[in-house]
Every structure is written in C-alpha cells, then in structure tokens.
Amino acid sequence: MTQAGSESTTIDAGQHRGFGVDVGGSGIKGGIVDLLTGDLVGDRYKIETPQPSTPDAIAAVVAEIVTHFEWTGPVGVTLPAVVTNGVARSAANIDKSWIGTDARALFAAAIGHENITVLNDADAAGVAEDRYGGGKDKSGVVVLLTFGTGIGSAVLHDGVLLPNTEFGHLEVGGKEAEHRAASSVKENKDLSYREWAKEVSTVLETLEALLWPDLFIAGGGISRKSDKWIPHLTNRTPVVAATLLNTAGIVGAALAADTAGQTGKAG
C-alpha cells in the first residue's frame, strides 16, 4: 500500500496530496489523493459499515482507515447527512443517533488531531467532479445530481460550493424529485431508459427554472450507462456523465480538507 510521502518526486508530495474517507450505508472507504490530478495514490481501503452505524462505531472505522495509511495530515470525511459547522443535521442510511452529533469533534477525537473537515457526501462528489471530472474547466453554475435510491445534489458556482442542497426532496409535479426520477424508480416501475429519461427531464427543467445552470453532471451508478438515457433528455442545459464514479467521495473529501487547511476554516 502506498503511504504518504513514500514515493520519490521532484516536489514535496505532501503539499500536493490529501486524504479522504467516504462514509456510506454499506461501506466506508478511504485513500490518499493526488490533489493535482484527482487520482488515488495507490489503492483505496474499504471496511464494511458497522451495524448499527452509530457515531462511535463509524468513528472507530474512520480512525482505523486513517491509521492503515499512517496518514497524519488533514482528513476529509463525508457523511450521508446534511452537515453544518461540523454537526450532522440529518441521517440517510446511517443510524438516526447521528442527528445533532458534532461529527467534526467526534472524528477529531477518534483520529487524534483537529485538522478534520466533514461534509455531505453529494457535496464531496460535486466538488470532485467540478475540479477533476465532468465539470473540469467549466465556469458558471454546475449542478451535480446523483441518481440512486434517492437523488443527491451539489451546486457550485465557479468552483465554490453552496453546501447542503437537498434537491432530491424538491416537489416536482406533486411528487418529491427522487420519488419521480431516482434510478430506484426506474427499477421499481420497470421503466425503459426513454420512459425514465422523461421523468429526469421534468426534474431538470424544474431546476433550470430556479437556477439557470450552465451544466448538469449526472452521477450515481446509472451514470455508467449514460449513453442509454442522456440522449433522450429534453431539457435545455447540457448534461454530462460523472467520470470519477466510486472515487468521487474520497477525492472530494480530500480536496475539501485541503482547502479548509489553506483557509483555516475546518468544517
């Protein structure tokens, strides 16, 4: 396993590497990230999410992953939750005891230092895709939507994140957006890609009316088959598939921690 600073290079690798941990309902994965390219340095390390997925149990796994890499610098951690000032305000696919937990303080105590940044998982993916993936070199308003069991969202303007958007819960035509256009809806209703794309278009058109974005990035597992449904979308804003896939959370978390370290604003 590659460890921070273990490779020979002409520049100080530590200044260009970060560390991210992506907490999910079924797995917790982390790794070292090359912040110049957005690539992982070596392999990621994954541990199954403990059940019940309480704050103390997850914090112990996050600390184990950090220790595995012998990483001592800033750490970014994603949660499937709304996170404000380091505190979890909701809990999706993790134990409800997370609600109200000071996640940043919890992870800092478990890891053993204060350079911890905690953010929403979709926000992390959005930051990563905007910098290194589908939104690279794009200016203006970029909206990432992750299509899965629900719909996660992230909004960035010229690379600056507007945190904790919850567009999956936006009412569209009398239904929450994710009840209309999550990929789970396609599966449950056995919709064709064309039929499902019509529902996605309805959601995108609603967001267009509110935000006038310059680009949509489509994430989630179904983005791997983007050629089967993106051509059927009828909204006006360009839509591209996410490119980082299952590394986006790790990469975005590492980037957020690095940015917080530079500005002195750990979140």
Side-chain angles (χ1 to χ4, degrees):
M1 184 67 63
T2 303
Q3 297 175 357
S6 64
E7 294 179 342
S8 176
T9 179
T10 56
I11 56 176
D12 182 0
Q15 293 181 355
H16 295 87
R17 291 181 179 179
F19 194 89
V21 182
D22 188 18
V23 175
S26 60
I28 302 173
K29 51 189 182 291
I32 299 170
V33 178
D34 182 333
L35 296 174
L36 295 178
T37 64
D39 297 325
L40 294 190
V41 179
D43 297 326
R44 66 177 186 167
Y45 184 56
K46 181 177 181 180
I47 299 175
E48 288 187 4
T49 302
Q51 300 300 330
S53 50
T54 60
D56 286 341
I58 285 182
V61 172
V62 170
E64 180 180 347
I65 291 172
V66 174
T67 300
H68 173 83
F69 288 93
E70 300 182 6
W71 183 263
T72 58
V75 175
V77 184
T78 79
L79 283 177
V82 170
V83 181
T84 60
N85 298 317
V87 177
R89 304 297 185 182
S90 64
N93 300 317
I94 52 175
D95 195 84
K96 298 305 179 185
S97 60
W98 274 98
I99 299 174
T101 295
D102 188 335
R104 197 200 69 80
L106 176 73
F107 290 128
I111 293 169
H113 67 75
E114 295 295 318
N115 295 328
I116 310 299
T117 299
V118 185
L119 70 163
N120 172 267
D121 54 356
D123 281 347
V127 166
E129 285 290 339
D130 184 71
R131 174 69 67 88
Y132 308 107
K136 183 179 180 181
D137 299 325
K138 301 294 184 181
S139 60
V141 176
V142 175
V143 178
L144 168 85
L145 297 173
T146 57
F147 296 93
T149 303
I151 297 177
S153 61
V155 178
L156 298 101
H157 177 247
D158 290 341
V160 178
L161 175 70
L162 174 66
N164 295 309
T165 56
E166 291 282 293
F167 291 151
H169 301 305
L170 183 70
E171 183 175 316
V172 177
K175 295 181 180 180
E176 285 193 8
E178 62 184 29
H179 295 163
R180 177 179 293 279
S183 64
S184 59
V185 174
K186 178 186 181 304
E187 296 170 6
N188 294 337
K189 293 186 176 182
D190 195 26
L191 300 177
S192 67
Y193 281 104
R194 184 184 293 272
E195 291 170 330
W196 181 66
K198 182 178 180 180
E199 298 293 342
V200 175
S201 294
T202 299
V203 170
L204 298 185
E205 288 162 3
T206 299
L207 292 175
E208 285 173 335
L210 295 172
L211 299 173
W212 282 81
D214 297 284
L215 180 71
F216 283 115
I217 302 174
I222 202 165
S223 66
R224 294 184 178 89
K225 299 180 180 180
S226 60
D227 60 315
K228 296 181 180 293
W229 59 275
I230 285 181
H232 296 305
L233 297 175
T234 57
N235 62 292
R236 65 173 179 266
T237 304
V239 181
V240 299
T243 61
L244 299 180
L245 302 177
N246 59 8
T247 68
I250 296 173
V251 173
L255 183 58
D258 181 71
T259 301
Q262 293 179 27
T263 61
K265 296 181 179 180

